[in-house]
Amino acid sequence: MNSYVFGFQEIDRSKFSMVGGKGANLGELSRIEGIQVPDGFCVTTEAYKKITGTSVELNALLDQLITLKPENRKDISETSAKIRKVIEEIAIPEDIDNEITQHLVQLGDKNAYAVRSSATAEDLPTASFAGQQDTYLNIAGKKDILKHISKCWASLYTDRAVIYRLQNGFDHRKVYLSVVIQKMIFPDVAGILFTADPVTANRKTLSIDASFGLGEALVSGIVTADNYTVQEDQITGRKISAKKLAVRASEDGGTKQQEIRPDQQNAQSLTDKEILALNHLGRKIEAHFGAPQDIEWCLADDTFYIVQSRPITTLYPIPEANDQEDHVYASVGHQQMMTDTMKPLGLSFFLLTTTASMRTAGGRLFIDITQMLASPTGRKRLMNTLGQSEPLIKDALTTIIERDFIKSLPEDEKEAGPGQTTPLPDFQKKPTEADPDIVNTLIDSGQASIQELKRNIQSKSGSGLFDFIREDLHQLKNTLFKQQSLDVIIAAMNASSWINENINKWLGEKNVADTLSQSVPNNITSEMGLALLDVADVIRPFPEVIDYLQQVKDEPFLEELVKFNGGEETRDAIQSFLTKYGMRCSGEIDITRTRWTEKPNTLVPMILNNIKSFEPNAASKKSQQGLQEALKKEEEILDRLKQLPDGEENARETKRMIDVIRNYSGYREYPKYALVNRYFIYKQALLKEAEHLLQANVIHEKEDVFYLTFDEFRDVVHTRKLDYEIISKRKEEYKLYDKLTPPRLITSDGEIITGKYKREDLPADAIAGLAVSSGIIEGRARVILNMEDADLEDGDILVTSFTDPSWTPLFVSIKGLVTEVGGIMTHGAVIAREYGLPAVVAVENATRLIKDKQRIRVNGTDGYIEIL
């Protein structure tokens, strides 16, 4: 026999699918010793399924609703209203009515109750429908309670709930509703308690919002609550607000607003003793659920009642340490220009590649900088390296150092510990002489090593392939962290800094190194952008091919091309581009990302854009133009210097520095190209192993292996066994992490340390950022989050969250660049300088503050954006 109603005492987490998150959590709370939960029961999702499953009218309306798109607001509103009316008019069957009556009699049918909705989605345990369905307070009498149960069921079809499901791809027929009936408490004070600070995310800070009367005043925003913070049983903050209104129970059911007496409005709503008692309850509940909680509470007759607890889903996870010490972690993604979520295989490959002490959290990588913060020299070094990458990181580091969160020990007392691995390169070295042969030798040796890997990996399979890759990763580390390679990169950076500093001092001209860096040789990434212009040149004379490419969607198209006049030449040009650059893609440091060779269609919009926006031979003209501008600037500067006192000596030193920039700065992009090349060779070999696992029915699809770490993948290949639950769980986690924004700096307490721009020199309403490529440009902003969606016209300014090398082909079409992430030497900055594009990076929330197609002015010399 179906049970349609459960008392709170009968409910725990295992009943989630029947009572939803709210109901399951109330059942769990009722089981914690010392926690008072007003008694009640849940009408299960089985009851909802029974009353809605047999209605022909309802099913016909649902068929209509499924065909609508989120933007059809008027139709959604009309259909939803009809659905709600149908549900409310369905009579509650006798067996369900009897069970509800029985529970009401046990609890006291004369009492007033809160009637709340608790939604759940089939197969989607992590889906959140918080705040979308209705809640009714102070409902008394069986007839009224049954009426409001029906209203709750119907509230599954409010416009807001329907639109949310359409936007997130949830099937309306697979979302169910349980109704929570809970004894009303008429509190003196009520509010919300967060067991982690909702602003800073610090897990050690508990935050309490409190106001007089029912908690609805606070939830609905009609009152500004008092706020109290507690850390380690000490009250650390009290913010008392003027509380002018309270929501109280109304005599004839429901609630009413009531003015608070003037003499009480500014009173502290909780005493210090009550604040600490609530802190204790909060920590107890958090310990039970094993995660930070958002808790609704009320205080009546000196007793705290808990009416709800749910996990705080917006907190960024903390990187795991192997000890109980304090740690500070810096985001790797902000340095690598890739803040997207990475899959487990991608994370583990990067961990096998790096020499630094890294941790993972929220599907991203973090470097443990604790040891560097533990000494004066380490701190200075950190400010000269990580601190120089961008002002927001620098400001956050300054905050953590001023706070002395990690105690600084004298040099001789400092022990080696976690995070004590290869130090960051020292950017303070003096640049070497410019020797063009060094760069050529480094690149030749890198390319030879890649060819050797391609030959040797052919014969490897099974566990042997994994051992071979692990061994080859040492070779990759040698390429990436070779001292000579680092010296070249640092020499170019130091020469640029020297030029900018001294030319500004001597001639009063800012950021001259930007112009001097245009069209430098050996920059594999900027050459790639120009190479795609050459591909456009091959295709431009063939209108049939262009027409065909405009129709191409997701289907393989390269072999189809040969049917058209000029198709063979087109195919060969694209193939030749892919041979050199096909291992690249957006987010390329994650080995699991789809490469251009795997999906050449990604390139089609960029090729068509090049055909439309450029004249033939544009690559060569662009390159020559940049070179001429750089040479002209060099000549002009040297001439001007020679006119000054000590001018000859200064001009000689400046010329030496310019040679370092011209010969060395292009190499900055090569090590990453070498890394991505090797990753793709590994990936192709590993996907053959995935194919074998698929044939043997060990996995459901080849891409499942991306949710395993390198060692787990090896074990599965070896044993041919896999607990598929791991894959499902990680796919869910990946979706969850994808919604989170990784912090630049996070502590082991979970506190996110943010940086701010401290600038007095900005025009009113300007948006601050870091100037990385000089010049001022006005144009139409194109806010593009996914490279494949780029539809650019000549003169557009690209606004995006980050750009890695795969975005370079778009740089030939734009006139300026704005990104949310980046530093002086990150990819976008380097290429912008080389192409002569004004650029401002590290602009917080740029993709939200700037609207698509707005006219903006980008000041790449002083580092700000104005919306015109």
Side-chain angles (χ1 to χ4, degrees), residues 782-821:
R782 293 312 315 268
V783 180
I784 296 166
L785 300 179
N786 184 344
M787 192 179 80
E788 293 171 42
D789 301 334
D791 176 18
L792 296 163
E793 287 175 16
D794 199 32
D796 281 349
I797 295 167
L798 174 62
V799 180
T800 187
S801 42
F802 62 80
T803 64
D804 59 10
S806 70
W807 287 69
T808 306
L810 295 181
F811 282 33
V812 298
S813 308
I814 59 175
K815 289 291 180 281
L817 174 70
V818 177
T819 66
E820 294 180 330
V821 174

Side-chain angles (χ1 to χ4, degrees), residues 349 352 448-477 677-686 688-689 710-711 714 717:
F349 254 96
L352 289 166
S449 167
I450 287 165
Q451 292 311 318
E452 189 187 354
L453 167 63
K454 278 183 181 167
R455 285 193 301 276
N456 294 343
I457 205 166
Q458 296 296 333
S459 57
K460 307 294 183 277
S461 65
S463 304
L465 170 66
F466 289 82
D467 299 338
F468 172 79
I469 289 174
R470 196 181 271 278
E471 195 50 47
D472 189 74
L473 282 162
H474 291 300
Q475 175 75 33
L476 174 55
K477 280 184 192 179
N677 245 302
R678 278 190 128 76
Y679 272 13
F680 189 41
I681 297 166
Y682 302 153
K683 183 185 184 182
Q684 288 168 304
L686 290 169
K688 286 180 189 163
E689 295 302 321
F710 182 80
D711 289 333
R714 185 187 190 281
V717 165

Side-chain angles (χ1 to χ4, degrees), residues 499-512 633 636-637 640-641 644 861-862:
I499 289 272
N500 283 338
E501 214 171 292
N502 287 298
I503 299 303
N504 195 16
K505 187 167 75 183
W506 296 329
L507 301 176
E509 194 172 337
K510 279 185 183 176
N511 303 346
V512 172
K633 179 56 76 180
E636 175 210 319
I637 279 169
R640 282 170 68 194
L641 283 174
L644 302 175
T861 308
D862 295 317

Side-chain angles (χ1 to χ4, degrees), residues 34 79 84 250 473 521 560 642 780 861:
T79 312
R84 291 197 300 275
S250 169
L473 282 162
E560 291 295 306
K642 285 173 188 168
R780 180 178 75 151
T861 308

